[in-house]
């Protein structure tokens, strides 16, 4: 049975959407008051947080793990597509941040004015970001949601960005105006790194990269009494989310019922080790010989 986590994912996304809207508004307001480019850039980054939550809600709606006629393997890849959307938003934010910094260097700007109360407001923003990150990551790992884990990674970048911005604005408050621009570029670098991390984590799912080494599957399958050998082993998906395994199994069985019992035991052991997993086994007679355990399904 495949666990449907969508209700819990939507609940978390709605809560974080409201918190991200609050954070975005506060950053934009303080950025407007002070004229800080790094803070306005951080506010722009927070726009992507809210957009990511909306994107996650849409992806979660369509990412049912249950198969249907049009999607016999389920809908999990909708979550991976949503996560790639997050990476795209981060790329756009990075470009906008760098562009704004270069324009200010070339054209100059009005002096930035910052006061202690405004710095305290940014500490509130930092506290909210920390809560959102650990809340999303905790629930995401518990229910196995890639969209929550990806969004938590994104929000983690917000924490470091906000710390950098606060450090720069403290320097501005002490009289070093140039520090606001200096901290714009670390912000852009962190945004880019967050996007790359999300992309790297979800791309294997979309391109059907091998999920489990065939040697590991082979060792489990051949440990079952009655299994002579197995070959043409293939796997795809992401461990901890959903994995699909295919293999050809050579069994020592006098009848179909015994062969079925052997394959059931193989499936049970693989399910125990790699849950959640869907397994397709092609049974072959004892006379069949093959030493290949590769992914080349259908080869004989």
């Amino acid at each position: 049975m495949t666990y449907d986590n969508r209700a819990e994912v939507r609940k978390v996304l709605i809560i974080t959407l409201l918190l991200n809207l609050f954070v975005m508004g506060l950053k934009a307001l303080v950025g407007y008051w002070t004229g800080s480019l790094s803070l306005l850039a951080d506010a722009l980054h927070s726009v992507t947080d809210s957009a990511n939550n909306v994107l996650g809600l849409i992806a979660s709606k369509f990412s049912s793990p249950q198969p249907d006629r049009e999607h016999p393997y389920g809908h999990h890849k909708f979550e991976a597509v949503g996560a790639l959307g997050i990476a795209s938003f981060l790329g756009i934010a990075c470009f906008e941040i760098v562009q704004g910094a270069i324009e200010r260097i070339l054209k100059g700007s009005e002096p930035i004015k910052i006061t202690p109360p405004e710095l305290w407001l940014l500490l509130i923003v930092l506290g909210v970001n920390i809560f959102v990150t650990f809340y999303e990551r905790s629930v995401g790992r518990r229910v196995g949601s890639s969209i929550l884990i990806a969004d938590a990674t994104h929000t983690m970048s917000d924490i470091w960005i906000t710390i950098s911005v606060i450090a720069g604005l403290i320097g501005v408050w002490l009289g070093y105006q140039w520090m606001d621009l200096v901290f714009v570029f670390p912000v852009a670098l962190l945004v880019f790194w967050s996007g790359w991390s999300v992309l790297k984590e979800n791309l294997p799912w979309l391109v059907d990269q091998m999920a489990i080494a065939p040697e590991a599957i082979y060792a489990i399958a051949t440990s079952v009494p009655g299994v002579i050998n197995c070959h043409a082993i293939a796997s795809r998906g992401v461990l901890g989310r959903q994995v699909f395994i295919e293999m050809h199994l050579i069994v020592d069985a006098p009848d179909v019922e015994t062969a079925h019992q052997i394959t059931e035991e193989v499936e049970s052991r693989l399910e125990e080790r790699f849950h959640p997993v869907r397994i397709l086994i092609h049974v072959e007679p004892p006379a069949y010989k093959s030493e290949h355990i590769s992914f080349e399904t259908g080869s004989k």
Side-chain angles (χ1 to χ4, degrees):
M1 178 182 295
T2 305
Y3 173 58
D4 190 346
N5 61 14
R6 290 181 297 160
E8 192 156 8
V9 170
R10 283 195 294 268
K11 175 185 174 183
V12 174
L13 287 172
I14 290 171
I15 292 172
T16 55
L17 173 61
L18 296 175
L19 291 173
N20 284 330
L21 288 172
F22 168 75
V23 164
M24 179 185 68
L26 202 55
K27 287 179 182 178
L29 188 62
V30 176
Y32 175 77
W33 284 341
T34 62
S36 167
L37 179 61
S38 61
L39 188 51
L40 289 173
D42 196 11
L44 175 63
H45 187 222
S46 293
V47 171
T48 68
D49 288 331
S50 302
N52 293 338
N53 293 142
V54 174
L55 181 62
L57 287 168
I58 295 172
S60 177
K61 179 177 177 61
F62 293 104
S63 64
S64 169
Q66 304 302 333
D68 57 31
R69 181 177 176 84
E70 288 75 25
H71 305 87
Y73 293 98
H75 306 73
H76 270 109
K77 286 189 179 181
F78 279 103
E79 278 209 8
V81 172
L84 292 183
I86 290 177
S88 299
F89 278 123
L90 288 170
I92 294 170
C94 180
F95 173 78
E96 293 292 337
I97 292 169
V98 172
Q99 183 183 49
I102 292 174
E103 287 180 356
R104 178 163 290 191
I105 291 173
L106 296 176
K107 298 179 181 179
S109 62
E110 295 292 325
I112 299 168
K113 299 178 181 179
I114 188 75
T115 63
E118 290 164 344
L119 292 174
W120 280 108
L121 288 176
L122 295 181
L123 289 177
I124 294 175
V125 166
L126 181 61
V128 172
N129 282 339
I130 292 173
F131 170 78
V132 168
T133 297
F134 286 95
Y135 175 53
E136 278 193 305
R137 180 176 295 171
S138 173
V139 177
R141 287 177 175 173
R142 178 167 56 82
V143 304
S145 170
S146 61
I147 199 72
L148 289 184
I149 295 173
D151 201 37
T153 301
H154 182 194
T155 309
M156 175 61 78
S157 71
D158 265 1
I159 293 176
W160 295 109
I161 287 171
T162 302
I163 290 174
S164 298
V165 169
I166 291 174
L169 290 178
I170 289 175
V172 170
W173 179 52
L174 294 174
Y176 303 101
Q177 288 286 326
W178 52 269
M179 288 192 69
D180 183 59
L181 276 178
V182 166
F183 280 93
V184 169
F185 294 99
V187 169
L189 181 61
L190 288 168
V191 171
F192 175 81
W193 181 254
S194 297
W196 170 248
S197 299
V198 171
L199 179 65
K200 185 171 63 173
E201 181 178 347
N202 287 275
L203 197 56
W205 179 279
L206 291 175
V207 300
D208 289 333
Q209 182 175 312
M210 179 186 69
I212 305 165
E215 292 80 8
I217 298 172
Y218 177 87
I220 293 173
T222 54
S223 70
V224 175
V227 174
I228 298 175
N229 203 348
C230 62
H231 63 103
I233 301 170
S235 66
R236 61 186 177 87
V238 176
L239 281 172
R241 299 187 202 170
Q242 179 71 62
V243 174
F244 299 89
I245 297 175
E246 301 174 13
M247 71 172 72
H248 289 206
L249 198 67
I250 303 173
V251 298
D252 183 11
D255 51 49
V256 173
E257 183 177 353
T258 304
H260 174 72
Q261 290 173 353
I262 293 172
T263 58
E264 285 284 301
E265 180 60 24
V266 171
E267 290 178 357
S268 176
R269 295 190 185 188
L270 289 172
E271 172 73 21
E272 181 181 1
R273 176 64 180 83
F274 301 116
H275 174 83
V277 62
R278 285 176 59 184
I279 306 162
L280 178 63
I281 297 178
H282 176 77
V283 177
E284 293 170 335
Y288 187 91
K289 301 295 183 182
S290 176
E291 299 300 326
H292 299 289
I293 66 170
S294 74
F295 60 87
E296 295 173 355
T297 56
S299 62
K300 292 189 178 182

